[in-house]
Amino acid sequence: MTLIDKKLTSIDDLIAAKLVPDNERDALMDVSVRYAVALTPDVANLINPTAADDPIARQFVPSVDELTTHPREEADPIGDRLKSPVPGIVHRYADRVLLKIASVCPVYCRFCFRREMVGPANGETLSADDLAAALDYIAVNPNIWEVILTGGDPFILSPRRIREVTTALSAIPHVKILRWHTRVPVVDPERVSDELIAALKATAKTVFVGLHTNHVRELEGPASQAIARLADAGLPLVSQTVLLKGVNDNVETLEALMRRLVELRVKPYYLHHGDLAPGTAHFRTTIAEGRALMAALRQRISGLALPTYVLDLPGAFGKVPIERHSGADDDGINTFTDRDGRNHRYEDACATPDIP
């Protein structure tokens, strides 16, 4: 098989690489008009193009299923905009904020909960004025103990820009923790250079790296080496995984992924239930299926390798640990209690044959 040596950013690129059939071009062009498309060579070369159910392809190669929107799906499924006091900031919890400093990613996951907000059409980075306002907001709110840098993918910034942001946050006394959320070590591992690591470490603050990965095959070869470079530099790593139908919705796959993460010195942190992002119903499991998978996983692996299974409640009410709540009622509706004691009804919103 010929190795792919360039980034794929269009449907024609995917057809030329034999990752999608030519007869789907028109429908997939409609998908690409709405949602950004990009695969790095590292990701593209992990795909087995002869396997219809390849879990890497399912995550990154566009599908006509994305043109179907479930009635309960929303452009802002977890309420980022409802908790954004200034551009670039999401302040959902008292002691921490998201700082969304980039609007682009090296790859675009087909299930992304921010898919309406990321991509080249949304600009590449936070403007200088908006970044200054975001930093000012953090500086005047002394309860902010942790800043979570996200986007998009903040590791797409140059080491110089990462160092500038690190330095600016380091000047705020009450900020103690910087946490960078990224896909880069898995999907574009060469970006994890000595210069990038030095930029992350250019601070007296404690720095964490949150790694997004969903399948053990993503952790092969260069990815494992990039993760090792971060760990060897003394940067603690945690992981985030999304529970995805057709990718990792069986206990064997989850077990292999979580074990491999721990072997690579990454602590499994969250297993996210799929958010209600437009065009993603075909990725979501039911809450009951997720509970059953977690129960089986708990029987098979060490607590060190066990993530917390969470639902990010629609409407900006925050994350709730799914396993701490009772199961669905007779109508199939789950009730979850948020951190303020408010109850929220949640109905599964998966792809079914009767959805138009």
Side-chain angles (χ1 to χ4, degrees):
M1 185 175 71
T2 303
L3 287 179
I4 295 166
D5 60 3
K6 69 169 190 172
K7 193 169 184 176
L8 310 177
T9 58
S10 70
I11 301 305
D12 286 334
D13 285 346
L14 295 172
I15 291 171
K18 303 187 184 306
L19 295 180
V20 298
D22 186 63
N23 62 7
E24 291 187 11
R25 183 181 187 279
D26 290 346
L28 292 177
M29 286 294 290
D30 290 340
V31 176
S32 69
V33 167
R34 181 167 182 183
Y35 304 119
V37 174
L39 287 77
T40 59
D42 294 273
V43 164
N45 287 316
L46 287 176
I47 294 172
N48 179 356
T50 66
D53 59 350
D54 185 85
I56 309 301
R58 184 159 168 78
Q59 292 183 70
F60 300 105
V61 175
S63 162
V64 295
D65 290 334
E66 296 174 55
L67 298 174
T68 300
T69 301
H70 191 284
R72 286 189 294 282
E73 291 176 341
E74 303 176 22
D76 184 14
I78 65 171
D80 275 359
R81 293 191 178 103
L82 297 174
K83 296 293 184 179
S84 184
V86 298
I89 291 287
V90 178
H91 197 175
R92 188 176 283 108
Y93 306 100
D95 71 335
R96 56 204 182 274
V97 295
L98 299 182
L99 176 54
K100 299 195 289 186
I101 57 174
S103 298
V104 291
C105 301
V107 295
Y108 292 103
C109 304
R110 310 320 305 168
F111 51 88
C112 178
F113 71 99
R114 291 197 180 112
R115 62 198 326 230
E116 300 276 10
M117 308 174 198
V118 301
N122 295 278
E124 293 194 0
T125 61
L126 204 59
S127 72
D129 287 345
D130 285 345
L131 178 58
L135 292 168
D136 286 344
Y137 178 86
I138 295 169
V140 300
N141 282 273
N143 288 333
I144 297 174
W145 174 79
E146 179 181 19
V147 176
I148 301 164
L149 296 114
T150 182
D153 194 315
F155 275 19
I156 206 161
L157 300 178
S158 68
R160 177 186 62 80
R161 292 282 289 123
I162 289 174
R163 182 181 288 271
E164 288 174 355
V165 174
T166 296
T167 300
L169 289 169
S170 297
I172 303 174
H174 53 265
V175 172
K176 305 297 183 183
I177 309 294
L178 308 183
R179 191 194 333 162
W180 297 79
H181 280 190
T182 183
R183 260 298 211 174
V184 161
V186 168
V187 302
D188 196 4
E190 288 189 4
R191 293 187 72 92
V192 183
S193 62
D194 291 343
E195 292 78 14
L196 183 145
I197 291 171
L200 296 175
K201 291 174 62 68
T203 178
K205 309 293 185 180
T206 298
V207 179
F208 277 77
V209 175
L211 177 70
H212 177 181
T213 182
N214 299 313
H215 195 278
V216 70
R217 273 176 47 203
E218 297 173 39
L219 302 177
E220 297 175 358
S224 65
Q225 295 161 19
I227 293 167
R229 289 196 292 275
L230 292 164
D232 288 345
L235 292 164
L237 292 104
V238 296
S239 74
Q240 299 199 85
T241 295
V242 183
L243 182 58
L244 299 167
K245 186 177 294 183
V247 175
N248 57 22
D249 60 332
N250 63 81
V251 70
E252 293 80 12
T253 299
L254 286 176
E255 177 184 6
L257 173 61
M258 300 307 162
R259 287 188 186 277
R260 184 59 181 146
L261 283 166
V262 173
E263 291 166 4
L264 291 172
R265 294 172 285 174
V266 182
K267 172 67 181 83
Y269 184 31
Y270 282 141
L271 176 65
H272 291 271
H273 191 76
D275 294 312
L276 299 175
T280 64
H282 56 292
F283 281 111
R284 281 191 296 276
T285 67
T286 66
I287 293 286
E289 288 169 335
R291 287 181 189 275
L293 281 170
M294 283 300 298
L297 193 62
R298 192 175 293 277
Q299 295 297 317
R300 298 169 72 125
I301 62 175
S302 159
L304 185 62
L306 199 68
T308 300
Y309 179 36
V310 294
L311 171 68
D312 221 323
L313 290 167
F317 294 105
K319 295 181 183 66
V320 290
I322 291 175
E323 289 187 286
R324 294 184 190 172
H325 297 264
S326 58
D329 62 20
D330 292 340
D331 295 324
I333 307 295
N334 291 274
T335 298
F336 297 100
T337 304
D338 68 23
R339 63 189 184 281
D340 295 320
R342 296 167 295 199
N343 288 334
H344 303 267
R345 289 164 59 82
Y346 184 89
E347 185 177 358
D348 291 322
C350 308
T352 58
D354 61 343
I355 295 175

